[in-house]
Amino acid sequence: MKPLKIGDEAPNFELLNQDGVKIALKDFVGKKVILYFYPKDNTPGCTSESCNFSTLYEKFHAKNAVILGISPDSTKSHEKFIQKYHLNQTLLSDENKEVCKAYGAWGLKKNYGKEYEGLIRSTFIIDEGGKIAQIYSPVRVKDHALKVLESL
């Protein structure tokens, strides 16, 4: 699969959110979509990233943007994660990793010299017409949400 690039049509998807409701990318035509892929609920980096996006939620909303977080975690895990940290954004469950793979956010990683498959922390800004406007990959968590907001 070819890596996505700026200007490409964003791959459509339909996933369950933390409440078990189907959410599709096409539901957000006319809005900017901040689509961030993160490895796992309740881990330090992912918690920090998600909390940072949540803190800036109203500022994103004021710029006609919605925030969607995607990880391979279950809907139940997302529900608990949102409740624990009072997150504002929608979290989507991609347990079979199809959407992660479609966006190039699943692949080979290296850690301490070992290679393994895993989630590559990535963020995509999708414009109001469904095209990819910006790609951040791999992502460094510190100040990432603010950088995304400033780029809108």
Side-chain angles (χ1 to χ4, degrees):
M1 183 179 284
K2 273 187 358 188
L4 293 173
K5 58 187 183 316
I6 293 172
D8 285 351
E9 193 74 30
N12 199 19
F13 59 81
E14 186 175 88
L15 294 171
L16 296 178
N17 73 1
Q18 66 276 358
D19 301 317
V21 175
K22 285 183 183 174
I23 303 292
L25 180 60
K26 66 182 181 199
D27 297 340
F28 302 103
V29 171
K31 291 189 174 285
K32 295 177 189 110
V33 176
I34 311 308
L35 189 64
Y36 75 99
F37 292 87
Y38 68 99
K40 188 150 184 56
D41 293 340
N42 291 301
T43 56
C46 298
T47 298
S48 178
E49 181 178 26
S50 293
C51 287
N52 290 341
F53 273 116
S54 188
T55 299
L56 297 170
Y57 180 84
E58 290 302 325
K59 291 182 179 182
F60 278 101
H61 185 74
K63 292 189 177 222
N64 194 36
V66 297
I67 304 168
L68 302 175
I70 296 180
S71 85
D73 291 306
S74 69
T75 56
K76 200 61 150 166
S77 177
H78 285 339
E79 180 185 25
K80 290 176 184 174
F81 188 43
I82 285 172
Q83 288 172 353
K84 183 175 182 178
Y85 293 101
H86 309 288
L87 303 176
N88 297 319
Q89 67 269 33
T90 297
L91 299 180
L92 303 174
S93 176
D94 187 21
E95 290 182 272
N96 62 16
K97 303 165 191 82
E98 286 181 16
V99 178
C100 295
K101 289 175 183 173
Y103 279 82
W106 187 266
L108 268 181
K109 296 175 67 167
K110 272 189 180 180
N111 195 15
Y112 299 111
K114 293 185 180 185
E115 280 192 352
Y116 62 97
E117 278 201 344
L119 194 131
I120 301 159
R121 194 182 302 274
S122 309
T123 301
F124 295 80
I125 299 176
I126 301 167
D127 70 18
E128 296 87 343
K131 298 229 186 271
I132 295 174
Q134 185 69 5
I135 300 170
Y136 299 90
S137 182
V139 165
R140 295 188 59 83
V141 171
K142 186 171 171 38
D143 298 323
H144 175 63
L146 185 59
K147 287 176 189 166
V148 172
L149 178 65
E150 289 170 348
S151 74
L152 295 181

